[in-house]
Amino acid sequence: MSHRKLTRRLARAGLVAAALGLAVPAPANAAEPGGSSAFGLNVTGPAHVPPTPAVSSATGEVRRALLREERTGAVRATALDVAARRDRAHSKVAGVDVPAAHLNAEAVTARCLGGRGSASLAGAVVAGRPLAVSPPPNTTVPVKVPGLGDGSVVLNKQERLPDGRLRVTALEASLPTGHGKIEAVRIASATCGHARKARPVHGKPHGGKPHGPEIAPRPVPVKGDLPVTG
């Protein structure tokens, strides 16, 4: 099949998918400057769940939805919806349950628009303690997992990536699992902003400022321990 015929066939497939409301794969240039991305949840550590569902786009909107995610006991969710386009990204996860942290939420949402981000939590509770609906960036809530050690939950985690884009994660739990291992559970994440071009490692840019990643807002600790029982 010629390259031209293949291109036409792929284009027709994309139009059919769009008409049926199906998710269209992100374009090949998704990593180019200005590209945005989002995912519903991700688990790393002894349990592993890749970013699910996940989208990225440097042009038009790409959207994916998942009705339920419960392949691991580390986290469960009943509805996940993510979207991304050139200058913005959005992720909403409903029916959140992280048993090890006694963390539950009706819904958590991360938004990123033009390099600025926010997060909102609806009906979120950690060890019986309600969490703020609109927490400041990088609010840290300590938790204790009996017999395993100390953990933490970061709300509205915001971090500036090396290329200048902003990543917002509504909830990120770091929990001990024994034998010195940590499990990280990330829920509702969105990345956007204009990516900078790669610069030389050595030297200084015009104006005399050194190269390096920008500093994200400092964590806002919440005083007091929140024991997790069970």
Side-chain angles (χ1 to χ4, degrees):
M1 182 184 298
S2 69
H3 177 73
R4 182 174 297 177
K5 289 182 178 179
L6 178 60
T7 300
R8 287 200 298 265
R9 181 167 293 184
L10 290 173
R12 287 197 298 269
L15 291 174
V16 171
L20 293 175
L22 302 176
V24 180
N29 64 345
E32 291 181 0
S36 299
S37 62
F39 66 80
L41 61 83
N42 168 227
V43 181
T44 58
H48 177 69
V49 178
T52 304
V55 293
S56 62
S57 178
T59 52
E61 182 176 271
V62 179
R63 193 178 197 104
R64 290 186 187 276
L66 184 65
L67 292 179
R68 184 175 297 275
E69 172 55 53
E70 51 184 15
R71 72 184 77 178
T72 172
V75 59
R76 291 187 290 269
T78 57
L80 308 90
D81 181 72
V82 298
R85 58 181 301 173
R86 180 176 177 81
D87 62 345
R88 67 192 66 187
H90 163 273
S91 176
K92 182 176 182 179
V93 180
V96 175
D97 180 21
V98 183
H102 280 202
L103 167 62
N104 303 97
E106 295 175 9
V108 298
T109 305
R111 298 181 181 86
C112 193
L113 173 61
R116 295 179 179 274
S118 64
S120 60
L121 316 177
V125 177
V126 171
R129 178 173 178 172
L131 301 176
V133 174
S134 300
N138 299 318
T139 298
T140 302
V141 179
V143 296
K144 286 186 178 295
V145 181
L148 294 176
D150 297 330
S152 65
V153 176
V154 181
L155 316 177
N156 189 13
K157 182 176 181 178
Q158 298 195 15
E159 50 192 331
R160 192 67 63 177
L161 303 182
D163 65 5
R165 292 181 299 160
L166 178 70
R167 179 164 58 204
V168 184
T169 304
L171 285 173
E172 180 171 317
S174 297
L175 304 170
T177 60
H179 306 290
K181 295 182 179 180
I182 297 294
E183 194 162 68
V185 180
R186 303 173 183 89
I187 302 171
S189 184
T191 300
C192 74
H194 188 76
R196 293 191 297 261
K197 293 182 178 180
R199 295 181 295 182
V201 175
H202 301 290
K204 296 181 180 180
H206 181 70
K209 294 182 179 180
H211 296 308
E214 296 178 30
I215 304 300
R218 288 187 176 182
V220 180
V222 176
K223 294 183 179 180
D225 293 333
L226 298 179
V228 178
T229 59

